Amino acid sequence: MTTHGVFQSEINLFSDHTLLNTQEVFTQLREAAPVVYLPANDVWAVTRYENIRDALSDPTSFSSKAVAFNPQMNEILSGTSLAADPPEHGPLRAVLTDNLSPRAMRSMKADIYAKAEQLVKDLATHGSFEGMADMAVAFPVSIVLDLIGIQGDLRAKILPWGEAAFNLLGPMNERSQQSMPIAGELFQWTHEQMRGTDLAEGSIGRNIWEAAERGDISHESFGYIVHQILAAGMDTTITTIGNALVLLGQNPDQFELLKQDPSLVAATLTEVLRLRTPAPVFGRLATKDIDIDGTIIPDGAQVALLYGSGNMDPRKYDNPEVFDITRNAVDHLGFGYGIHACAGQGLAKLEIHGLVEAWAKHVESYEIGDVVQRLNNMTRPYESIEIKNIQLAKVNA
Ligand code: HEM
């Protein structure tokens, strides 16, 4: 429907229906117009690849002060690189990237790959397993717990904390309200209660704490680093591992291709992130009237950048619905783009590359049985994935 030259739709970006049918809903919006106003959310959705990339290249017009879709959360996030604009953004991000730099990541590679291989071998020999709990959740949780050095009872909190943090980036619907006290606990722990001695000696978390004790960084920065690793890094990585298992299982020709040519591991992850974008929507605030292909987004409006829609835009990618690990779409939007592009992608890639490489090495073939989705305002995870009829590769025979 067009009103005064603006295309409108009754779609609610955060309804159960949209969360369960994201690609169909996004296709509807993308093919309707490059910008669609959604009265249900009071949001202006940008739907096409080029327009989304342009928006991400212009953080002055598209401010991250409304990266979440509710004002309380945007307030809580102020002080993080995710919600900051230049010039504040640079130093906040530097504190984070210094600790997640390619150099810091390189020293962890051998350990992460060895753990991935052990887990894959253990699970694959069972012939079947539950893909989410046993692999997609278990692996990044154990890596991140050890990375930060979280010990004791707190280890059980990491999953609910990560899930709640993403729900709360959405509007204040029932999912967000239920997540509020859980995410509040995470914030309290990282910013008020945590002591260096809570963190295992030798862990990266403990090292950063000691840097704060020496005065190299502020204690506030320390809290934000740990908070962002736990909040931004868990549900996204978990979702992506589940998606990789499902896509490779449903496309045995592509799995075979990967097995024949393990150098395709990185391109496989790229294609998984493009086709099943784990966090397919992020918010922005329009800081002035913005003209996108003739539609004016008004100054002060809440914008939704549909990364998951851009990644499926046929104007950008040929046959976008096809899972093709040779496509190598390195310009996908799954990690965002521009100054806010994912600061933890080095860690995410290490974890997922390690698992996918080991999976392709040790498994000859497998099947996907029942899958159940879990609803989250911002991520698109499975709740469970039945992995069955695993045949081991000769390397194990
Ligand atoms: C496959 C896994 C992951 C995906 C798909 C993902 C996706 C994203 C996306 C799309 C953004 C951009 C948000 C925006 O445009 O506003 C982002 C930013 C960010 N991510 Fe990730 N992420 C992943 C893993 C991680 C991990 C493991 C960490 C931490 C260790 C992390 C930390 C961050 C941080 C701190 C930002 C904000 C950067 C900034 O605004 O400067 N992410 N991520």
Side-chain angles (χ1 to χ4, degrees), residues 16 49 95-96 127 172 192 214 234 243 253 259 285 395:
D16 291 6
Y49 182 92
V95 172
L96 197 66
M172 263 303 147
E192 291 162 22
R214 286 194 304 272
M234 292 310 309
N243 289 343
D253 59 321
K259 289 178 61 57
L285 176 74
V395 68

Side-chain angles (χ1 to χ4, degrees), residues 56 64 67 81-82 89 93 96 100 228-229 232-233 236-237 240 273 278-279 282 284 307 333-336 339-345 347-348 351-352:
L56 290 173
S64 285
V67 67
S81 59
L82 182 69
H89 174 261
R93 185 174 167 106
L96 197 66
L100 296 169
Q228 293 214 42
I229 293 176
T236 42
T237 309
T240 308
L273 289 167
F282 276 90
R284 292 293 188 268
Y307 300 168
L333 301 170
F335 283 128
I339 64 164
H340 290 284
C342 180
Q345 57 183 290
L347 176 61
E351 295 177 64
I352 302 166

Side-chain angles (χ1 to χ4, degrees), residues 49-50 62 83 119 153 193 201 204 247 281 292 307 337 364 377 389-390 395:
Y49 182 92
E50 288 302 336
F62 292 89
L119 179 67
D153 294 350
Q193 298 164 346
E201 253 175 81
I204 288 195
L247 285 168
V281 183
I292 294 187
Y307 300 168
Y337 175 75
E364 185 59 36
N377 280 334
N389 293 337
I390 300 173
V395 68

Side-chain angles (χ1 to χ4, degrees), residues 159 214 227 294 305 308 312 364:
L159 252 194
R214 286 194 304 272
H227 184 263
L305 300 177
M312 295 292 286
E364 185 59 36

